[in-house]
Amino acid sequence: MATLYKVARLGHPVIRGTNTLVTPEEIASAEFQKNIDALIATMREYDGVGIAAPQVRWAKQLFAVEVLPSNPRYPQQAGVPLSVYLNPQWVRKDGETIDDWEGCLSVPDLRGKVPRFLRVELKALDRHGKPVKFTAEGFHARVLQHEMDHLEGKVYLDRMAGMSTLSFNQEFERYGR
Ligand code: NI
Protein backbone atom coordinates (compact mmCIF):
# COMPACT_ATOMS: atom_id res chain seq x y z
CA MET A 1 0.00 0.00 0.00
CA ALA A 2 1.29 3.42 -0.97
CA THR A 3 2.31 6.04 1.58
CA LEU A 4 -0.25 8.75 2.31
CA TYR A 5 0.63 12.41 2.77
CA LYS A 6 -0.97 14.84 5.16
CA VAL A 7 -2.75 17.57 3.16
CA ALA A 8 -1.61 21.13 3.98
CA ARG A 9 -4.49 23.49 4.68
CA LEU A 10 -4.96 27.15 3.84
CA GLY A 11 -2.63 29.14 6.09
CA HIS A 12 0.30 26.75 5.61
CA PRO A 13 2.86 28.84 3.65
CA VAL A 14 3.28 26.14 0.98
CA ILE A 15 -0.28 26.79 -0.25
CA ARG A 16 0.70 30.38 -1.15
CA GLY A 17 4.29 29.61 -2.13
CA THR A 18 6.14 29.17 -5.42
CA ASN A 19 6.88 25.81 -7.01
CA THR A 20 9.93 24.78 -9.04
CA LEU A 21 10.01 22.92 -12.35
CA VAL A 22 10.53 19.16 -12.35
CA THR A 23 13.90 18.14 -13.87
CA PRO A 24 14.61 15.11 -16.13
CA GLU A 25 16.89 13.73 -13.37
CA GLU A 26 14.01 13.83 -10.89
CA ILE A 27 11.63 12.10 -13.31
CA ALA A 28 14.18 9.26 -13.73
CA SER A 29 14.53 8.71 -9.97
CA ALA A 30 12.70 5.96 -8.11
CA GLU A 31 12.03 8.31 -5.20
CA PHE A 32 10.21 10.80 -7.46
CA GLN A 33 8.01 8.04 -8.89
CA LYS A 34 7.25 6.81 -5.37
CA ASN A 35 6.24 10.34 -4.36
CA ILE A 36 3.86 10.49 -7.36
CA ASP A 37 2.27 7.23 -6.19
CA ALA A 38 1.84 8.72 -2.71
CA LEU A 39 0.29 11.88 -4.21
CA ILE A 40 -2.26 9.76 -6.12
CA ALA A 41 -3.00 7.62 -3.05
CA THR A 42 -3.57 10.78 -0.99
CA MET A 43 -5.97 12.22 -3.60
CA ARG A 44 -7.99 8.98 -3.52
CA GLU A 45 -7.92 8.72 0.29
CA TYR A 46 -9.48 12.20 0.61
CA ASP A 47 -11.96 11.68 -2.28
CA GLY A 48 -10.24 14.45 -4.25
CA VAL A 49 -10.74 14.89 -7.99
CA GLY A 50 -7.34 16.52 -8.25
CA ILE A 51 -4.35 17.28 -6.07
CA ALA A 52 -1.35 19.52 -6.62
CA ALA A 53 2.10 18.74 -5.19
CA PRO A 54 2.24 21.88 -2.98
CA GLN A 55 -0.86 20.60 -1.17
CA VAL A 56 1.31 17.84 0.28
CA ARG A 57 4.19 20.25 1.03
CA TRP A 58 6.05 19.23 -2.15
CA ALA A 59 6.89 22.55 -3.87
CA LYS A 60 6.98 21.23 -7.45
CA GLN A 61 5.12 22.07 -10.67
CA LEU A 62 2.99 18.95 -10.89
CA PHE A 63 -0.50 17.70 -10.14
CA ALA A 64 -2.75 14.65 -10.51
CA VAL A 65 -6.41 14.52 -11.59
CA GLU A 66 -8.96 11.71 -11.50
CA VAL A 67 -12.73 11.97 -11.46
CA LEU A 68 -14.29 8.63 -10.53
CA PRO A 69 -18.02 8.33 -11.39
CA SER A 70 -18.59 7.26 -7.77
CA ASN A 71 -16.88 10.33 -6.26
CA PRO A 72 -19.00 11.36 -3.26
CA ARG A 73 -17.91 15.01 -3.41
CA TYR A 74 -18.90 15.51 -7.08
CA PRO A 75 -21.44 12.75 -7.88
CA GLN A 76 -23.01 14.62 -10.83
CA GLN A 77 -19.81 15.08 -12.85
CA ALA A 78 -18.47 13.08 -15.79
CA GLY A 79 -15.48 10.83 -15.15
CA VAL A 80 -11.88 11.75 -15.98
CA PRO A 81 -9.19 9.03 -16.06
CA LEU A 82 -6.18 9.23 -13.76
CA SER A 83 -3.51 11.56 -15.17
CA VAL A 84 -0.38 13.17 -13.78
CA TYR A 85 0.98 16.36 -15.36
CA LEU A 86 4.46 17.76 -14.81
CA ASN A 87 5.51 21.33 -15.69
CA PRO A 88 2.09 22.12 -17.22
CA GLN A 89 1.48 25.23 -19.34
CA TRP A 90 -1.68 26.69 -20.86
CA VAL A 91 -1.87 26.63 -24.64
CA ARG A 92 -5.35 28.20 -24.76
CA LYS A 93 -8.27 29.18 -22.55
CA ASP A 94 -11.49 30.10 -24.32
CA GLY A 95 -13.30 33.34 -23.55
CA GLU A 96 -16.55 31.83 -22.28
CA THR A 97 -16.78 31.15 -18.52
CA ILE A 98 -19.32 29.19 -16.50
CA ASP A 99 -20.08 29.17 -12.77
CA ASP A 100 -20.09 25.89 -10.86
CA TRP A 101 -19.35 24.53 -7.38
CA GLU A 102 -15.81 23.80 -6.24
CA GLY A 103 -14.18 22.68 -3.07
CA CYS A 104 -10.57 22.06 -2.13
CA LEU A 105 -8.80 19.54 0.11
CA SER A 106 -6.77 22.46 1.52
CA VAL A 107 -9.98 24.37 2.40
CA PRO A 108 -11.90 21.54 4.08
CA ASP A 109 -15.69 21.40 4.54
CA LEU A 110 -16.44 24.36 2.25
CA ARG A 111 -17.50 24.92 -1.31
CA GLY A 112 -18.40 27.89 -3.46
CA LYS A 113 -19.35 28.85 -6.99
CA VAL A 114 -16.37 29.72 -9.16
CA PRO A 115 -16.33 31.07 -12.74
CA ARG A 116 -14.01 29.01 -14.96
CA PHE A 117 -13.30 28.80 -18.67
CA LEU A 118 -15.42 26.16 -20.37
CA ARG A 119 -12.63 24.93 -22.65
CA VAL A 120 -8.89 24.81 -22.16
CA GLU A 121 -5.85 23.39 -23.88
CA LEU A 122 -2.87 22.28 -21.81
CA LYS A 123 0.61 20.99 -22.55
CA ALA A 124 2.74 19.17 -20.02
CA LEU A 125 4.88 16.09 -19.45
CA ASP A 126 3.36 12.86 -18.20
CA ARG A 127 4.87 11.18 -15.11
CA HIS A 128 7.53 9.52 -17.27
CA GLY A 129 8.54 12.75 -19.02
CA LYS A 130 6.66 12.21 -22.29
CA PRO A 131 5.18 15.45 -23.74
CA VAL A 132 1.39 15.57 -23.88
CA LYS A 133 -0.99 18.21 -25.26
CA PHE A 134 -4.79 18.01 -25.04
CA THR A 135 -8.03 19.96 -24.80
CA ALA A 136 -10.57 19.59 -21.99
CA GLU A 137 -14.12 20.83 -21.44
CA GLY A 138 -16.58 21.34 -18.63
CA PHE A 139 -15.75 19.83 -15.24
CA HIS A 140 -12.45 18.37 -16.52
CA ALA A 141 -11.39 21.87 -17.66
CA ARG A 142 -12.51 23.23 -14.26
CA VAL A 143 -10.38 20.73 -12.32
CA LEU A 144 -7.34 21.58 -14.48
CA GLN A 145 -7.80 25.32 -13.82
CA HIS A 146 -8.16 24.67 -10.08
CA GLU A 147 -4.95 22.59 -9.95
CA MET A 148 -3.02 25.00 -12.20
CA ASP A 149 -3.93 27.76 -9.72
CA HIS A 150 -2.38 25.74 -6.87
CA LEU A 151 0.94 25.73 -8.75
CA GLU A 152 0.81 29.56 -8.68
CA GLY A 153 -0.12 29.74 -4.99
CA LYS A 154 -3.80 30.49 -5.67
CA VAL A 155 -6.94 28.80 -4.30
CA TYR A 156 -10.52 28.85 -5.62
CA LEU A 157 -11.54 31.50 -3.08
CA ASP A 158 -9.33 33.95 -5.01
CA ARG A 159 -11.34 33.24 -8.17
CA MET A 160 -14.86 33.60 -6.75
CA ALA A 161 -16.78 36.66 -7.94
CA GLY A 162 -17.95 37.16 -4.34
CA MET A 163 -18.33 35.17 -1.14
CA SER A 164 -22.15 34.92 -1.12
CA THR A 165 -22.22 31.30 -2.37
CA LEU A 166 -19.53 30.06 0.06
CA SER A 167 -21.18 27.17 1.95
CA PHE A 168 -20.31 24.39 4.34
CA ASN A 169 -20.75 21.01 2.64
CA GLN A 170 -23.44 19.93 5.09
CA GLU A 171 -25.53 23.06 4.42
CA PHE A 172 -24.85 22.70 0.68
CA GLU A 173 -26.32 19.17 0.82
CA ARG A 174 -29.41 20.54 2.55
CA TYR A 175 -29.99 23.87 0.77
CA GLY A 176 -27.54 24.09 -2.13
CA ARG A 177 -27.88 24.34 -5.94
NI1 NI B 1 -7.55 22.52 -4.32
Side-chain angles (χ1 to χ4, degrees), residues 30-41:
E31 193 197 352
F32 178 88
Q33 293 298 329
K34 236 177 78 184
N35 292 346
I36 298 263
D37 288 338
L39 186 70
I40 293 166

Side-chain angles (χ1 to χ4, degrees), residues 71-176:
N71 186 287
R73 294 172 73 241
Y74 301 97
Q76 318 291 337
Q77 304 292 356
V80 176
L82 175 66
S83 307
V84 176
Y85 300 114
L86 319 180
N87 302 342
Q89 287 183 291
W90 292 123
V91 178
R92 197 162 50 90
K93 286 189 267 193
D94 272 10
E96 192 187 346
T97 63
I98 48 167
D99 265 358
D100 205 352
W101 294 94
E102 265 175 55
C104 180
L105 301 182
S106 296
V107 189
D109 301 329
L110 289 167
R111 56 178 59 196
K113 272 192 168 175
V114 188
R116 297 287 190 185
F117 293 103
L118 182 58
R119 260 181 299 276
V120 297
E121 187 172 5
L122 192 73
K123 66 175 180 179
L125 303 175
D126 73 9
R127 66 180 289 174
H128 304 295
K130 190 181 130 205
V132 292
K133 189 168 131 177
F134 64 99
T135 58
E137 275 190 18
F139 190 65
H140 186 192
R142 173 171 299 277
V143 175
L144 294 172
Q145 289 167 86
H146 179 115
E147 302 311 329
M148 286 292 276
D149 274 354
H150 276 303
L151 301 186
E152 292 178 16
K154 288 192 165 65
V155 297
Y156 76 88
L157 302 169
D158 305 326
R159 301 293 194 190
M160 289 173 69
M163 291 292 135
S164 64
T165 60
L166 192 65
S167 308
F168 286 101
N169 281 327
Q170 208 180 333
E171 278 69 15
F172 170 81
E173 293 297 334
R174 205 171 299 162
Y175 307 112

